[in-house]
Amino acid sequence: MTDASTRKPTEVSRAELVRWLNDYLKIDAYPDPSMNGLQIEGTETITRVAASVDTSVKTLQHAADSGADILLVHHGLFWGDPLAITGPHRTRLQTALAADLNLYAAHIPLDAHPEIGNNAMIANALSLENRQLFGDWGGHKIGLSGELPFEQSLQDFADRVQKLTGEICLVHGGGSPTVNRLGIVSGGGAGAVAEAAAAGLDTLLTGEPEHKHFHDSFEYGVNVVFAGHYETEVFGVRALAARIEEEFELPWQFLHHPTGL
């Protein structure tokens, strides 16, 4: 019998892990400008995983300091426009390359994933029933709608969400004083109010507000609970890292760098 202290750590090749991630997340299924997939190539062998919502010098350095070989993020480095390798962008790349750290990003595929996506994990935490696809993104539904197990006041619901995310919720009470039929779109889903109204939902749960959609809640008669862009998108990367642990027995760590937005 091999002593646990001398047992060789589990490892997987970068190529195998990236192939598995690409297939599991179906990264080519959505019209997404964020260059989903491997964004920075580092070491060929993965023994430890880090996960974080955003890519920044802090998160990259934290991942390197933690001994991770790959950092999984929801918000990567690229958003459809070419970037010169100067300033903060250069520093981010330099930080990852100096540590031989791989960077893998999954944006819309991680919002929409039916098992470990941000919206699926929030729906699970709220015990959402009779789920339907909801929240249009380029012709694809990336969120979920459904019914809560029991009707509750809007304030009680907001308090429940606050306990779930740790973020003080901003509430626009434009509709019913109670919550029963709910739509969920993590992150930047403020524009889904009209769709929520058309679907007969009384409340929309999303991340951050947008000024251009301020009046929608009150004019469409739909409550909107804003629980923070960052805080509604911690769920997917954590669940993905845990799923990798199940599949490959790789240890992982979540790197918490909240933005307050």
Side-chain angles (χ1 to χ4, degrees), residues 92-163:
R92 291 167 181 170
L93 292 172
Q94 185 178 43
T95 301
L97 293 172
D100 212 9
L101 177 68
N102 293 282
L103 177 69
Y104 188 98
H107 185 228
I108 297 301
L110 194 55
D111 287 315
H113 198 277
E115 296 174 357
I116 52 84
N118 288 313
N119 296 304
M121 297 302 293
I122 294 171
N124 290 346
L126 296 175
S127 303
L128 200 68
E129 301 173 345
N130 302 319
R131 298 180 190 181
Q132 301 289 327
L133 293 177
F134 169 76
D136 183 75
W137 172 276
H140 296 264
K141 302 292 187 182
I142 64 171
L144 292 168
S145 66
E147 299 173 0
L148 296 174
F150 54 91
E151 191 172 34
Q152 54 200 277
S153 72
L154 179 58
Q155 184 60 61
D156 285 347
F157 176 73
D159 289 344
R160 184 180 177 191
V161 173
Q162 181 175 328
K163 289 178 182 178

